[in-house]
Amino acid sequence: MKIGEISKHSSVNVETIRYYEKIGLLASPDRDASGYRAYRTAHLERLLFIKRCRNLDMAQDEIRELIRLSENPEADCHEVDALLANHLSHVRDRLQELSNLEKTLQQLQKACSDAGTVQECGILGGLSSELETPHNDRGDHQNHVPGTHRPGKS
């Protein structure tokens, strides 16, 4: 099948498919006589696997590692379990960060007086000064796989 067909079957954008090929998550398909990419069922299955992993917010390095592990089906699955446990830990950390973000936004919203001018706006005043914000207990923003899910820039 051509790239448009595999895109339609997987609901993955054509540019994303090309990107996955470029970074090595998806093997490059052979080309047909006219030079078009000729995808096989194995490409579709891998693409759907990648899509499911991305839907679970897994980073490219995690997906790459899962693909590597899947290539040895007789091996013990403890590495797969460990990877998932690390990812789950990251998700829990992120949930805590989002909870802290929610509290900060609520604090900002409470700062809004019912005054009518922007100059008197408590929200803008709060954004212009340091807020008392709940901090991450770990404080290190460690990623579950080094180099992935980098903390946002302030």
Side-chain angles (χ1 to χ4, degrees):
M1 70 187 104
K2 293 182 181 173
I3 197 164
E5 293 172 275
I6 197 170
S7 174
K8 184 177 178 182
H9 288 298
S10 65
S11 298
V12 175
N13 184 289
V14 168
E15 291 304 316
T16 303
I17 295 169
R18 288 185 183 131
Y19 176 71
Y20 289 157
E21 286 178 36
K22 180 180 176 182
I23 64 171
L25 284 180
L26 185 65
S28 295
D30 295 330
R31 302 269 179 166
D32 65 16
S34 5
Y36 290 104
R37 292 172 170 93
Y39 293 93
R40 298 183 312 274
T41 304
H43 288 101
L44 179 60
E45 290 169 357
R46 172 66 58 86
L47 190 55
L48 291 172
F49 178 84
I50 294 167
K51 180 181 176 184
R52 289 181 198 114
C53 289
R54 291 297 300 140
N55 286 341
L56 294 172
D57 198 35
M58 290 187 176
Q60 292 172 8
D61 288 342
E62 291 171 311
I63 298 168
R64 190 172 280 110
E65 182 64 9
L66 286 173
I67 290 169
R68 184 190 70 77
L69 292 168
S70 73
E71 291 171 349
N72 188 4
E74 300 301 316
D76 186 299
C77 71
H78 75 278
E79 289 183 68
V80 175
D81 184 56
L83 188 143
L84 188 64
N86 285 336
H87 184 68
L88 183 57
S89 176
H90 167 76
V91 168
R92 288 177 176 147
D93 290 345
R94 185 67 182 130
L95 285 170
Q96 183 60 49
E97 290 171 6
L98 289 171
S99 176
N100 291 343
L101 174 61
E102 178 184 35
K103 290 173 187 171
T104 300
L105 290 170
Q106 287 172 338
Q107 184 182 8
L108 269 174
Q109 194 170 37
K110 286 179 185 175
C112 184
S113 64
D114 288 327
T117 67
V118 170
Q119 182 179 7
E120 299 166 326
C121 180
I123 294 173
L124 293 176
L127 290 171
S128 299
S129 64
E130 187 66 30
L131 291 172
E132 292 293 322
T133 58
H135 296 286
N136 181 347
D137 292 338
R138 287 175 53 188
D140 59 5
H141 295 286
Q142 271 190 342
N143 295 310
H144 49 294
V145 173
T148 62
H149 297 288
R150 291 177 184 88
K153 296 177 183 175
S154 49

